[in-house]
Amino acid sequence: MLPLAALSTGSAAAKSDSPLGLPAYSSIPRNLPASVLSWGFQVTSTSEVGDEVELAPGLIIRPRVLDSVRVVMSSLACQSGRWNTSNCVSARGSSFTHPLTVNVYAVDNSTSTPKPGALLATRTQTTRIAYRPSADPTRCTGANAGRWYDSHTQTCNASIAQTVTFDVPGRVKLPRQIIWTIAYNTTTAGYHPIGAAPCVTSAPGCPYDALNVGIQTFPGAPYVGTDVDPNGAFLNSSVGSMYCDGGMGGTGTLRLDTNNTGTCWTGNTPLAEINTRFL
């Protein structure tokens, strides 16, 4: 990641319980669907993605600090077979682990285009990610062939969504506006690509190459706080075509990806929740 000092840093195992802080921003619905739209790091040569948000007002007489960050991840990984070849098989409750990093930046508004400022907090943890369930050839056929069936919503889905909670230690005071991001490595993408691991040549491939970040705008979202640019997100990809400006603003650096026509990230809000507590 960026070589900045004086940060709140840490490493921990993923937690499955709810955060103790109160949401100051959230684009995650209370009832998360079984599957969400997502952004794949491997397929888009991405190293980092996130969003600029404005936190809901706090208490004037008490400072507010960062408690935790929740991010929605989307897994298309299968234990055997692949999600797009109609032969995905995964044992019930099976999972893999992969290190993920969440970052929280101040916003540099010294120019007309906001940029990442000081890195306020970063947290890396080895996270348990679910394999998507096996294909259901009985209830998911035709255009839905190869997908898994969710009996609760009675839908066929290509991926499975889950939230990951990053608890942030220390007392990191937050400004009203921040940029949050998620970063991780895949075979050929990320700040430190993993390279040719043994899983590359296996039938299902490497599971982290089928790991995505949830990006979907739900009705009424954000439920707390404000998405500063609903048509934009912060992206670092090495491929110009992944940006709405075709890479004219640069590649390989974390920057705002947006346009003036409402056709960039509209409808695809990166899914996260920023939880804070009062001192």
Side-chain angles (χ1 to χ4, degrees):
M1 299 304 302
L2 299 178
L4 300 178
L7 311 176
S8 170
T9 63
S11 179
K15 292 184 64 178
S16 59
D17 56 328
S18 298
L20 296 175
L22 298 174
Y25 171 84
S26 183
S27 58
I28 304 176
R30 180 179 296 273
N31 297 312
L32 185 68
S35 181
V36 298
L37 300 177
S38 61
W39 184 267
F41 273 37
Q42 174 68 12
V43 71
T44 63
S45 299
T46 292
S47 294
E48 194 173 6
V49 71
D51 202 8
E52 180 186 2
V53 303
E54 183 171 300
L55 306 181
L59 299 176
I60 297 176
I61 61 174
R62 296 177 62 185
R64 180 168 59 185
V65 298
L66 180 61
D67 183 83
S68 62
V69 180
R70 295 174 67 218
V71 180
V72 175
M73 305 300 293
S74 177
S75 173
L76 295 99
C78 306
Q79 279 190 300
S80 66
R82 295 186 182 241
W83 69 273
N84 57 352
T85 54
S86 301
N87 62 345
C88 178
V89 176
S90 301
R92 184 183 296 273
S94 59
S95 62
F96 63 96
T97 59
H98 196 60
L100 308 176
T101 297
V102 72
N103 296 306
V104 176
Y105 300 89
V107 182
D108 179 353
N109 285 312
S110 60
T111 65
S112 59
T113 301
K115 298 177 292 186
L119 183 54
L120 304 175
T122 183
R123 186 74 165 166
T124 297
Q125 64 186 32
T126 298
T127 307
R128 189 168 297 279
I129 303 293
Y131 283 105
R132 57 143 279 184
S134 302
D136 188 329
T138 302
R139 291 174 290 190
C140 298
T141 60
N144 287 322
R147 301 190 172 200
W148 67 277
Y149 185 77
D150 178 43
S151 58
H152 179 69
T153 58
Q154 298 183 342
T155 58
C156 294
N157 304 280
S159 63
I160 186 167
Q162 70 178 84
T163 57
V164 176
T165 299
F166 299 82
D167 292 314
V168 181
R171 295 185 173 186
V172 180
K173 294 182 180 180
L174 296 180
R176 188 71 182 275
Q177 293 186 352
I178 61 169
I179 296 167
W180 72 266
T181 65
I182 184 85
Y184 55 95
N185 300 315
T186 66
T187 296
T188 60
Y191 287 106
H192 303 285
I194 298 168
C199 57
V200 169
T201 57
S202 67
C206 298
Y208 43 77
D209 288 341
L211 178 61
N212 298 355
V213 178
I215 55 162
Q216 186 167 337
T217 306
F218 290 93
Y223 308 103
V224 183
T226 303
D227 186 352
V228 174
D229 182 355
N231 186 49
F234 277 78
L235 174 67
N236 182 349
S237 171
S238 61
V239 177
S241 60
M242 296 299 105
Y243 294 87
C244 293
D245 64 3
M248 293 295 292
T251 61
T253 185
L254 183 64
R255 66 175 179 90
L256 178 62
D257 183 32
T258 191
N259 61 24
N260 296 321
T261 62
T263 57
C264 195
W265 287 78
T266 296
N268 297 293
T269 304
L271 293 169
E273 181 176 282
I274 309 299
N275 293 282
T276 62
R277 65 183 188 275
F278 295 103
L279 296 178

